[in-house]
Amino acid sequence: GENVEQHPSTLSVQEGDSAVIKCTYSDSASNYFPWYKQELGKRPQLIIDIRSNVGEKKDQRIAVTLNKTAKHFSLHITETQPEDSAVYFCAAPRLYSGGGADGLTFGKGTHLIIQP
Amino acid sequence: KAGVTQTPRYLIKTRGQQVTLSCSPISGHRSVSWYQQTPGQGLQFLFEYFSETQRNKGNFPGRFSGRQFSNSRSEMNVSTLELGDSALYLCASSAGTGGVGELFFGEGSRLTVL
């Protein structure tokens, strides 16, 4: 099955600096890569996703890049703010024979700490 | 539009007991998936139901089971509880199958096994 590795497990950055979180996946057939943010005590929420037909996607201060050859994708947050402090999870689809997907395999998460 | 609702939010059980958790998806969503969240393992896929059918199951023992009703509501059951089953159980709904689009998570059911 799909294996998703995420690094680093903890990332501390100064407010205003950029943060980068990296993930690798194992199944070359994977075609959808979402990122979820989970604030303390709250539910995970989708913040951005990318499909395999594009290499980069941006939404204001957040961007995701995808390198299908190397099988890795990254989350970039610029001009970090205190409200960016949370745990971030990358994910890839659980593929089954026939080309469908029935859920997500998540990375183990990155605890992003924004230092004032 | 109401979000994903999970009940109960908190529960305490003892080893050997069984537990049933409930999830009501967003209206119109046909897919409900379940994930176990623990500090050490992160979010782990349990199973997904789409139109009352479960395709594959995550790497969990047979003590973990579930079902989906015709109104898309879902339940998961854990029998013969073990200490290691203590976790936050998250339900998520999506319009299509859970591996190709946004998952909308509930607030979770926090299970403590003593």
Side-chain angles (χ1 to χ4, degrees):
Chain A
E2 179 68 275
N3 184 41
V4 177
E5 301 275 345
Q6 182 172 348
H7 300 281
S9 57
T10 303
L11 177 60
S12 181
V13 301
Q14 291 293 126
E15 182 178 348
D17 287 351
S18 296
V20 181
I21 303 170
K22 299 182 179 182
C23 287
T24 59
Y25 60 97
S26 58
D27 193 333
S28 57
S30 289
N31 55 8
Y32 173 66
F33 306 93
W35 286 88
Y36 284 80
K37 174 184 180 182
Q38 187 175 29
E39 297 177 20
L40 188 62
K42 298 194 175 179
R43 70 191 82 189
Q45 291 189 296
L46 180 73
I47 54 170
I48 195 166
D49 56 16
I50 190 168
R51 298 190 186 269
S52 58
N53 55 344
V54 296
E56 184 177 6
K57 183 177 178 182
K58 287 184 181 179
D59 183 3
Q60 299 182 357
R61 297 186 297 107
I62 294 173
V64 57
T65 57
L66 171 64
N67 183 327
K68 287 217 70 178
T69 303
K71 291 191 283 187
H72 68 70
F73 57 111
S74 300
L75 178 70
H76 304 254
I77 305 174
T78 58
E79 301 171 15
T80 53
Q81 299 171 5
E83 55 264 35
D84 294 330
S85 291
V87 178
Y88 292 80
F89 294 95
C90 63
R94 288 172 43 91
L95 302 175
Y96 56 84
S97 58
D102 65 352
L104 296 172
T105 297
F106 285 88
K108 293 201 172 177
T110 296
H111 185 194
L112 177 61
I113 302 165
I114 308 301
Q115 303 277 9
Chain B
K1 180 149 93 163
V4 178
T5 304
Q6 290 188 247
T7 57
R9 291 290 316 282
Y10 303 91
L11 63 167
I12 299 173
K13 295 284 187 178
T14 56
R15 278 179 298 175
Q17 288 187 309
Q18 70 146 16
V19 65
T20 298
L21 309 178
S22 180
C23 173
S24 293
I26 290 172
S27 177
H29 284 188
R30 295 166 63 190
S31 168
V32 173
S33 48
W34 290 88
Y35 292 83
Q36 182 194 65
Q37 185 171 28
T38 58
Q41 296 300 315
L43 284 156
Q44 291 190 287
F45 175 83
L46 276 155
F47 28 66
E48 181 197 55
Y49 288 91
F50 186 83
S51 296
E52 301 178 63
T53 300
Q54 180 192 119
R55 261 187 286 266
N56 297 302
K57 188 177 174 183
N59 190 23
F60 284 86
R63 302 184 294 106
F64 291 79
S65 63
R67 58 179 175 168
Q68 186 180 35
F69 302 96
S70 58
N71 61 358
S72 293
R73 191 177 69 85
S74 177
E75 290 181 345
M76 69 162 279
N77 184 275
V78 189
S79 62
T80 319
L81 285 166
E82 299 177 359
L83 295 179
D85 297 333
S86 294
L88 180 67
Y89 290 88
L90 289 163
C91 160
S93 78
S94 57
T97 58
V100 298
E102 182 173 3
L103 296 181
F104 294 85
F105 284 92
E107 292 185 285
S109 293
R110 184 166 295 282
L111 171 64
T112 301
V113 182
L114 303 176

